Amino acid sequence: QVQLVESGGGSVQAGGSLTLSCAASGFTTSSYCMGWFRQAPGKEREGVAILSNGGDYTYYADSVKGRFTISQDNAKNTLYLQMTSLKPEDTAMYYCAASVCRSGSSLPLNVHSYVYWGQGTQVIVSS
């Protein structure tokens, strides 16, 4: 019954923008730490942006800091990743995921902390 469905991926030229969406069902996203991860061919899955339960804290990978913004719409139970100034190295499959966590605790940064995963949406940035 728990579902995470990503959308919004596509192909864009370097310097362009995309906004990814993650529609959740079966649980309330604001009650979980939510994260965006990405995996490029031949590379490990890495955390891109994390949002604490309640939205009080965020984490961004150094490689995307200042360019990506994570947010959520509680009414829609949907997580977003706004991506600007995209670079070819941002090319990857992007996944949203949920982790059980406590308010005020350190954000879960490790991929293994996340128990619910979407199927991913592809982002391709061409130069």
Side-chain angles (χ1 to χ4, degrees):
Q1 63 180 29
V2 172
Q3 294 281 315
L4 293 170
V5 181
E6 301 95 334
S7 62
S11 182
V12 64
Q13 292 185 350
S17 301
L18 284 173
T19 297
L20 307 182
S21 299
C22 173
S25 60
F27 71 101
T28 301
T29 58
S30 61
S31 298
Y32 290 75
C33 289
M34 301 295 299
W36 284 99
F37 295 78
R38 67 185 182 188
Q39 187 167 22
K43 295 186 177 181
E44 297 293 317
R45 190 169 299 186
E46 63 174 345
V48 174
I50 313 294
L51 184 69
S52 67
N53 56 314
D56 293 330
Y57 300 96
T58 57
Y59 161 84
Y60 296 97
D62 289 341
S63 59
V64 308
K65 197 170 298 181
R67 300 187 298 117
F68 290 12
T69 302
I70 187 171
S71 62
Q72 65 186 4
D73 186 327
N74 293 333
K76 296 181 178 179
N77 207 38
T78 299
L79 185 74
Y80 301 96
L81 183 67
Q82 295 173 281
M83 306 184 295
T84 62
S85 302
L86 285 162
K87 304 175 180 180
E89 49 263 48
D90 295 319
T91 296
M93 186 73 75
Y94 283 72
Y95 302 87
C96 69
S99 173
V100 177
C101 60
R102 298 178 180 177
S103 297
S105 300
S106 299
L107 293 175
L109 305 181
N110 194 287
V111 62
H112 300 295
S113 298
Y114 291 79
V115 295
Y116 303 141
W117 290 87
Q119 292 299 307
T121 185
Q122 181 71 56
V123 172
I124 300 174
V125 184
S126 61
S127 60

